[in-house]
Amino acid sequence: MHNISRRQFGKVAAASAALAGTGLPEFSFGQTDVRPGSANLAFPQGFVWGCATASYQIEGAATEDGRKPSIWDVFSHTPGKTNDGDTGDVADDSYHRYKEDTQLIKNLGAGAYRMSISWPRIFPDGNGQPNPLGIDHYKRVVDDLLANGITPYVTLFHWDLPAALEGGWQSRDTSKAYADYAGYVARQLSDRVKHFMTMNEFDSFTTLGYKTGKFAPGLMLPEAGVNQVRHNAILAHGLGVQAIRANAPAALVGLAENATVFVPVIEDEKNIEAARRATREENAPFLTAVMEGKYTESFLEREGADAPQVGAGDMQAIGSPIDFLGLNVYQPFYVRADGSAKGYELVPRQTSYPRMASPWIAVGPEVMYWAVRNVSDLWHPKVMYITENGCSADDVMTSDGRIEDTDRVMYLRNHLTHLHRAVAEGFPVKGYFLWSLLDNFEWADGYSKRFGIHYVDFKTEKRTPKLSAEWYREAIRRNVVV
Ligand code: PNW
């Protein structure tokens, strides 16, 4: 049994020592002034503020400079798969307008940008010969960011898998092809890029792509097949970490994962313990396997004959140490201790639970604190980032050209307040990336859901800062929740 109060005391004591001189209070939540704008909600000096995007969602230029289709090109061009038949053919046209987008980031005062590389631009057939025009494009993008004082954080796989790879993530060969691709990009870019993330959100592209069929490639495999896809995905991550290290020894390697986050229904010792247990069990095929280098016994038992086939050396690769852990944080799940052997029970959200414009975004800002704390208490990563947080909203432009997204500001302000609590308690969160810099192709929802802090008119590609962009700029400028 853990002695929570002692552990917590140690953490807070360490936090106050670490924060001495930064002007942060020992206790930041519930016990001091937490009015927005209060110095008590200040972040440590050097905290990284950024925005995030992904290649297929913003680039367009789907057939340019030797790029061949990804599974998302195939899927979005299949009738009935995306809202209104929307595709990423043009998207934000950022392939051509990247300099304009750099200026949007610069105007926010943000020091970092999380972007992704399109695998089918680099290896149009998934493997074999690299396409020099592909990597040249990203060298230009990165150089433009650096020239403007913005640090790139590069994701190597944000779901645009080359369509040419037979079987996609059902095949182990894809994991190997991924490692070759990741090693190649790291070698090409590591003179300019320090932070690489292997993958974005295992659960989304495996479960939605291969189980429910809502995302590319739109398959509905039986459980054994889905578990194999998940295994091949985390294996690709592990082999990717090794390949990046071999090709770019100075690079820092991490992951951007949307771990399912559990919030204790009441913040007391037994429910906190339940949240921790739920975090480990419910993320067993993904983050737990990556952080522990093994599947939990209860996962293997629960899946039985449907458990994945594991090759020799797979788990060791999967458990390769990483330098930082990125968490994409959107929605909470509530949990309570129930006295069972498992130790927890999920508590369903009532129908009145508040949501943003995407029905899956249930609003529970404390998710931010518990994402960091559960993961830290279980696995103690040395460095963490929030690699995504944000929301869709029903943005409309007023007659005088403004977008008054007070609901998005509300969502962001509250999430940052709870992130501040985590930082003030000494958890090692070093930065925050807002999803998203600009409205973009929201996967199966096409252009019907807007996540940007810049509004995009998809007819003219004109970008307009929303109220939330103004708000974020002010938070960044003062390094405090406003
Ligand atoms: C993340 N869900 O995706 C992705 O990393 C982004 O590409 C995406 O645009 C952003 O969040 C907003 O959706 C998710 O249905 C998509 O639970 C869907 C879900 C979760 C994450």
Side-chain angles (χ1 to χ4, degrees):
M1 276 302 284
H2 297 282
N3 184 333
I4 305 297
S5 50
R6 264 186 55 197
R7 277 156 47 91
Q8 280 313 107
F9 175 78
K11 200 162 275 161
V12 172
S16 38
L19 296 172
T22 63
L24 279 174
E26 274 190 56
F27 297 95
S28 68
F29 198 79
Q31 302 183 37
T32 54
D33 181 0
V34 290
R35 285 173 295 180
S38 152
N40 290 333
L41 287 175
F43 282 81
Q45 241 187 358
F47 191 81
V48 173
W49 296 106
C51 288
T53 63
S55 46
Y56 190 70
Q57 295 181 269
I58 66 163
E59 285 179 353
T63 58
E64 221 161 301
D65 290 342
R67 183 185 183 276
K68 287 190 186 171
S70 73
I71 57 172
W72 268 98
D73 296 81
V74 175
F75 184 76
S76 64
H77 279 272
T78 306
K81 297 298 185 190
T82 64
N83 184 70
D84 258 352
D86 289 343
T87 74
D89 287 0
V90 179
D92 292 313
D93 193 34
S94 290
Y95 191 79
H96 301 114
R97 294 169 198 255
Y98 66 88
K99 289 190 174 172
E100 192 181 338
D101 293 341
T102 298
Q103 293 309 309
L104 300 180
I105 305 164
K106 192 175 181 185
N107 289 337
L108 293 169
Y113 180 45
R114 177 175 171 240
M115 54 180 272
S116 85
I117 306 271
S118 164
W119 182 351
R121 290 194 194 282
I122 310 294
F123 288 96
D125 294 308
N127 50 24
Q129 278 309 304
N131 165 29
L133 297 178
I135 199 75
D136 286 351
H137 169 73
Y138 291 107
K139 287 180 179 170
R140 286 190 295 271
V141 173
V142 164
D143 285 345
D144 189 54
L145 291 166
L146 293 172
N148 284 280
I150 300 160
T151 305
Y153 286 65
V154 167
T155 310
L156 293 165
F157 180 71
H158 201 126
W159 308 352
D160 40 2
L161 185 73
L165 289 171
E166 197 78 39
W169 288 112
Q170 293 180 82
S171 167
R172 275 176 82 85
D173 292 343
T174 296
S175 315
K176 293 184 190 136
Y178 170 81
D180 292 342
Y181 152 72
Y184 174 79
V185 175
R187 182 189 287 272
Q188 292 289 322
L189 292 185
S190 61
D191 57 341
R192 303 157 161 92
V193 175
K194 201 163 166 202
H195 296 85
F196 290 95
M197 284 148 284
T198 53
M199 299 250 158
N200 184 70
E201 298 193 356
F202 294 123
D203 196 14
S204 302
F205 75 87
T206 60
T207 305
L208 298 175
Y210 293 82
K211 180 178 170 141
T212 68
K214 296 244 184 295
F215 278 10
L219 301 180
M220 294 166 76
L221 300 179
E223 196 60 15
V226 180
N227 280 331
Q228 202 59 46
V229 160
R230 291 169 171 156
H231 180 76
N232 293 341
I234 62 172
L235 176 61
H237 156 79
L239 297 176
V241 173
Q242 296 177 345
I244 296 166
R245 296 219 189 279
N247 283 279
L252 297 173
V253 190
L255 170 70
E257 174 62 335
N258 63 328
T260 308
V261 181
F262 297 94
V263 173
V265 277
I266 297 171
E267 194 171 323
D268 62 10
E269 197 167 326
K270 66 179 195 300
N271 291 307
I272 291 170
E273 173 65 18
R276 199 159 34 231
R277 284 180 180 226
T279 303
R280 183 163 183 267
E281 276 319 314
E282 304 291 323
N283 292 292
F286 308 115
L287 193 58
T288 306
V290 167
M291 299 308 274
E292 300 185 11
K294 63 175 203 284
Y295 289 119
T296 65
E297 269 161 37
S298 38
F299 170 74
L300 294 174
E301 216 167 90
R302 167 165 97 225
E303 299 301 321
D306 293 334
Q309 305 289 318
V310 177
D314 285 8
M315 296 317 295
Q316 202 182 353
I318 289 166
S320 299
I322 53 176
D323 301 304
F324 66 92
L325 177 62
L327 294 174
N328 295 356
V329 179
Y330 289 95
Q331 56 158 333
F333 291 88
Y334 292 93
V335 75
R336 74 152 58 90
D338 68 348
S340 69
K342 196 166 77 164
Y344 65 90
E345 166 187 64
L346 301 186
V347 179
R349 296 184 290 240
Q350 300 203 105
T351 53
S352 58
Y353 197 95
R355 284 155 201 281
M356 300 303 295
S358 303
W360 61 273
I361 303 192
V363 184
E366 64 272 39
V367 67
M368 199 54 119
Y369 173 76
W370 288 102
V372 171
R373 177 158 166 193
N374 292 334
V375 162
S376 288
D377 284 354
L378 281 166
W379 301 301
H380 312 286
K382 281 201 253 347
V383 175
M384 301 171 83
Y385 292 92
I386 301 305
T387 35
E388 285 182 27
N389 172 240
C391 64
S392 50
D394 294 337
D395 301 317
V396 282
M397 194 177 270
T398 61
S399 54
D400 57 350
R402 288 177 301 137
I403 299 92
E404 308 279 32
D405 54 340
T406 51
D407 49 351
R408 180 175 287 106
V409 172
M410 173 280 293
Y411 178 97
L412 295 170
R413 176 188 289 132
N414 282 288
H415 281 76
L416 280 193
T417 302
H418 286 264
L419 178 62
H420 180 271
R421 178 187 178 192
V423 172
E425 287 184 11
F427 294 104
V429 187
K430 304 299 180 196
Y432 171 91
F433 294 84
L434 198 160
W435 184 273
S436 181
L437 176 66
L438 71 179
D439 297 334
N440 58 48
F441 176 77
E442 177 54 19
W443 307 114
D445 289 332
Y447 299 98
S448 69
K449 294 287 182 255
R450 294 176 176 273
F451 277 78
I453 58 172
H454 294 90
Y455 185 90
V456 177
D457 178 333
F458 290 105
K459 289 201 186 72
T460 62
E461 298 293 354
K462 184 172 187 289
R463 283 91 160 117
T464 306
K466 302 178 189 176
L467 176 66
S468 53
E470 245 179 86
W471 169 86
Y472 195 38
R473 185 174 53 202
E474 184 62 6
I476 293 172
R477 190 179 72 77
R478 284 158 60 189
N479 203 30
V480 65
V481 184
V482 291

